[in-house]
Amino acid sequence: APVIIQGPAFLGVTDRSAIVMWQTDRPGASEVEYSLAEQFTTTTKVPKDTKQVTAHSVTLTGLARGTRYYLRVYSSDTQGNRSRVRVGSSITLAQPRTTPPIVVEGPISVGVKDTEALIFWRTDEVSVGIVRYGTDSRLIEESDATEMVADHRVQLKGLRPGTVHSYRVESTGASDVKGTSGLRTFSTPAGADA
């Protein structure tokens, strides 16, 4: 069974949500249950994320403002062997956050091909994200919006081969305050018929 070696830790706690993160020594699924009672007399289970990872991140939503939540995290391997439980607690904010989401990792471009690229970034709270992009700093193209998540992955398609593309990410949190990254670039390789 995986062993939890770090966490649980809380990132991006808002008045209605929190991101729970922990790390295991080997890949495992992510399981969280939470309660208002320290004895866990009544619990809410978050649907199990079956992706086998060592860096676990689960977003809790629909929480009450200004409330302490107790939680248990687990990880299990593909054979169903479950780690020992780790317990943590956090208090949600009493009021909605009035500052924009902060990009804590990225944005980076990965998997760049001649006509597509994946843009990844992580914010400190769940947010809706978009990528504005183009072949110059005017950024006239806009991606579809992501779900309300902390780990954003946006696939850009229809890019021009052999070209430098500029982009910026925008993340809007639950309080409708938008944060914007700095301008970044990536180059698409020339196409096969070039």
Side-chain angles (χ1 to χ4, degrees):
V3 174
I4 298 174
I5 56 175
Q6 190 173 16
F10 297 88
L11 179 72
V13 176
T14 71
D15 62 321
R16 301 278 185 195
S17 65
I19 302 166
V20 184
M21 302 178 83
W22 70 97
Q23 190 169 356
T24 53
D25 67 339
R26 65 184 86 144
S30 306
E31 299 179 68
V32 175
E33 60 183 332
Y34 61 92
S35 176
L36 295 173
E38 192 171 5
Q39 300 77 23
F40 292 90
T41 48
T42 325
T43 63
T44 301
K45 280 188 92 118
V46 176
K48 180 178 181 177
D49 184 346
T50 58
K51 285 190 298 268
Q52 297 287 307
V53 295
T54 56
H56 304 266
S57 176
V58 174
T59 301
L60 307 178
T61 58
L63 305 178
R65 290 182 174 159
T67 304
R68 176 172 292 281
Y69 287 90
Y70 298 90
L71 60 90
R72 297 189 277 215
V73 299
Y74 309 87
S75 292
S76 55
D77 60 25
T78 54
Q79 289 78 39
N81 301 311
R82 190 186 244 188
S83 68
R84 291 181 185 256
V85 66
R86 289 289 282 271
V87 177
S89 71
S90 182
I91 299 174
T92 55
L93 300 178
Q95 297 297 319
R97 182 172 162 164
T98 58
T99 57
I102 297 169
V103 176
V104 295
E105 185 178 337
I108 59 170
S109 56
V110 294
V112 177
K113 298 178 183 167
D114 59 346
T115 61
E116 60 186 67
L118 177 68
I119 308 299
F120 169 81
W121 73 101
R122 176 176 287 155
T123 51
D124 70 336
E125 70 169 300
V126 293
S127 57
V128 172
I130 65 163
V131 178
R132 294 192 187 281
Y133 63 101
T135 55
D136 58 36
S137 61
R138 291 181 295 150
L139 309 179
I140 59 173
E141 302 288 333
E142 180 179 309
S143 72
D144 291 336
T146 66
E147 299 289 324
M148 197 77 150
V149 294
D151 288 344
H152 303 269
R153 289 172 181 79
V154 173
Q155 187 76 41
L156 304 180
K157 295 186 177 192
L159 301 174
R160 185 178 304 157
T163 305
V164 174
H165 296 270
S166 299
Y167 72 97
R168 158 181 299 128
V169 300
E170 296 178 357
S171 304
T172 304
S175 59
D176 285 333
V177 180
K178 180 176 24 177
T180 303
S181 75
L183 191 64
R184 303 282 175 102
T185 62
F186 63 88
S187 295
T188 52
D193 56 351

